Amino acid sequence: MTSPSPSSERIAARTLGVGLVLLLAALGLARGLAALVERGSPPERLHQFSEGTERLVNFLDALPGIAQRDDAVIVFGSSIIQHGFSPETFEQHVGAPVTAYNVGFPGVDPETQSLLARRVASTFEPTGHKALLALVEFTPFQATLARGRAVNFRELSAIKKALLADPLALARIARRSPEEASHLAALRLLGGSSPKVMKSLLEDQFLDRQQPDWWPVPESLDAVLLERRDWVTRIHEGRMAAEHRQLPEWDPVHRGEVRWIFDGTREDYLAWARLRSTPEALKPDLEWRIETSDILELRFDEEQVRYFIEAVRALASVSRETRVVLAPRNPAWNQPTPGGRARLAAVLALIEKETGAKVLDLAESPEFTAEDFIDVTHLNESSGRPKFSRRLAEAVAEQWGRGVAKDAAP
């Protein structure tokens, strides 16, 4: 066997070098295009289509400072917490000197939450500090088999997994699915964006423009949707005017709470909320939740339940007390079947057994009505958010005097 000649080795090295240069150029072009599209999108559209990616990045930037505190109450969960929890209201009613944080994110699944919980734990551990309390919200329909099959939700979770996954997590994912691991690596290289997000933003920018008279395709956005968009735009503009600053998606000033209601935005918010919560809007919303998340039957994915248990354990390792929370359900639109309720009860019992964290079940709290919700699943800011935040604080205060609460009580 003859060894390769120096000239052939040089050719191979040159070919490899050219390939790497082309790959880096393509990556730079893709990232540049993504940045250009994002800069051309209004903040409210970018937040809508990226489903919390910027919010996650903002929170990770703030996390080292949070990890230096001994009075932190971390309220961790999904978009139900993002839209439904006010740290300020909680602090006013809990009866102890605490600093609460809204750590709720949209478009996540329990596996993504377990990665984020491990990031929180790994940030706290070197500091020697522990959070005073971790309240971990469980969203049942996010842990269903149907949710795992929904392409849109899988991609939105994947973007956040790409930002959170360390080499060990990627290796675990690769053992399960090499294709998924390579996809996450590609999303990581894209800097927290994805082709799906870019496609949605480009379509939105195109459809949002006034089309010329000669354009043969009719407007695809109906009048109600356009009206809702106009209200959202005015609310965002009013928020920035009231705060006198550009607002990050996870705002350290409000400790993660997204505030839409100010003196100048209240009427626009209430009008927008009324449009979103009509029966004509809620019926298709429920049908979509049934199709994509099995919200009423709740046929659970055992693997996703295990990931949620991992998340609770990770947060418990850096918290002096930990509880699992079930947020209020919309009593008019979100009523699981008897089978769904039985399956949920079994999963909650398993979570409590495996983590040792007591479950605070507010799902059917009688004080919540359909008027407290902006859609099938999310509380509104006008009445639902303050009511839930106060009720959560009162439930914690009822336990004050045991464990961590005893040390914190005035």
Side-chain angles (χ1 to χ4, degrees):
M1 178 183 290
T2 59
S3 60
S5 67
S7 60
S8 65
E9 289 179 347
R10 283 195 298 272
I11 292 171
R14 191 178 298 118
T15 301
L16 180 60
V18 169
L20 288 173
V21 169
L22 291 174
L23 179 62
L24 291 173
L27 177 61
L29 182 63
R31 294 189 70 157
L33 177 61
L36 182 65
V37 172
E38 290 175 357
R39 280 199 299 271
S41 300
E44 64 272 16
R45 304 282 200 278
L46 181 58
H47 299 160
Q48 175 188 350
F49 292 119
S50 66
E51 274 284 297
T53 303
E54 181 190 349
R55 180 175 172 83
L56 177 59
V57 172
N58 297 156
F59 170 70
L60 294 177
D61 289 342
L63 180 56
I66 298 170
Q68 296 292 330
R69 305 189 67 97
D70 289 313
D71 66 345
V73 174
I74 295 174
V75 184
F76 182 100
S78 66
S79 58
I80 289 174
I81 291 298
Q82 177 193 2
H83 296 294
F85 177 70
S86 167
E88 183 177 326
T89 301
F90 179 90
E91 292 165 5
Q92 290 169 352
H93 292 87
V94 76
V98 304
T99 304
Y101 296 89
N102 181 322
V103 190
F105 295 93
V108 294
D109 59 17
E111 183 176 15
T112 309
Q113 291 178 316
S114 74
L115 293 173
L116 177 57
R118 287 206 293 271
R119 179 70 68 88
V120 171
S122 66
T123 306
F124 265 87
E125 283 165 356
T127 70
H129 297 273
K130 283 195 170 188
L132 189 65
L133 176 66
L135 299 174
V136 191
E137 179 251 340
F138 178 58
T139 306
F141 59 83
Q142 286 190 336
T144 60
L145 292 164
R147 181 72 170 228
R149 292 192 293 264
V151 174
N152 183 59
F153 286 123
R154 282 210 314 270
E155 183 68 6
L156 292 173
S157 288
I159 299 170
K160 299 173 189 68
K161 286 178 194 174
L163 293 173
L164 292 167
D166 57 25
L168 286 176
L170 277 176
R172 182 172 75 169
I173 293 168
R175 286 195 296 272
R176 179 184 71 207
S177 170
E179 181 182 3
E180 183 182 0
S182 63
H183 180 55
L184 293 181
L187 292 176
R188 182 67 174 263
L189 290 172
L190 279 174
S193 188
S194 80
K196 182 184 183 305
V197 172
M198 291 302 103
K199 177 175 178 290
S200 298
L201 288 172
L202 285 169
E203 288 176 346
D204 180 76
Q205 289 179 20
F206 178 73
L207 291 173
D208 208 29
R209 294 195 181 107
Q210 181 68 41
Q211 295 179 358
D213 295 337
W214 50 264
W215 187 250
V217 181
E219 290 282 355
S220 62
L221 299 176
D222 61 35
V224 173
L225 179 56
L226 287 171
E227 189 177 13
R228 281 169 53 178
R229 283 188 168 191
D230 287 343
W231 267 318
V232 170
T233 299
R234 290 201 297 270
I235 292 166
H236 275 271
E237 290 171 350
R239 287 176 66 207
M240 288 187 287
E243 296 270 10
H244 305 291
R245 61 193 174 99
Q246 286 291 121
L247 295 171
E249 186 64 3
W250 196 92
D251 186 1
V253 173
H254 298 304
R255 300 187 299 286
E257 181 182 1
V258 180
R259 295 185 178 180
W260 286 38
I261 295 181
F262 299 89
D263 289 343
T265 63
R266 179 176 297 276
E267 292 307 315
D268 283 331
Y269 175 86
L270 294 176
W272 172 73
R274 282 193 295 270
L275 265 186
R276 284 198 60 181
S277 55
T278 63
E280 293 78 13
L282 293 176
K283 184 178 179 182
D285 186 19
L286 177 59
E287 292 170 349
W288 176 67
R289 290 288 184 186
I290 291 171
E291 178 185 354
T292 62
S293 303
D294 197 19
I295 191 171
L296 302 183
E297 289 292 347
L298 295 175
R299 288 168 280 242
F300 288 100
D301 182 336
E302 291 182 6
E303 185 177 35
Q304 290 299 326
V305 173
R306 285 288 168 189
Y307 282 128
F308 182 79
I309 289 170
E310 284 185 15
V312 176
R313 286 173 172 167
L315 291 169
S317 71
V318 290
S319 303
R320 295 169 64 192
E321 185 175 351
T322 306
R323 296 177 199 167
V324 172
V325 175
L326 218 58
R329 282 196 293 262
N330 188 327
W333 293 90
N334 182 10
Q335 289 296 328
T337 65
R341 291 174 184 274
R343 284 184 282 272
L344 175 58
V347 164
L348 291 175
L350 176 65
I351 291 170
E352 189 166 321
K353 175 185 175 184
E354 294 289 329
T355 65
K358 297 296 183 183
V359 174
L360 176 57
D361 188 351
L362 302 178
E364 307 217 15
S365 294
E367 61 263 44
F368 292 90
T369 69
E371 285 68 37
D372 294 318
F373 291 80
I374 200 165
D375 56 24
V376 167
T377 55
H378 297 95
L379 293 160
N380 60 38
E381 184 178 348
S382 52
S383 62
R385 182 188 300 179
K387 190 180 292 187
F388 174 54
S389 305
R390 184 175 62 251
R391 180 69 190 92
L392 201 57
E394 290 168 352
V396 170
E398 286 168 8
Q399 302 293 323
W400 232 244
R402 293 201 295 272
V404 63
K406 182 177 181 180
D407 296 333

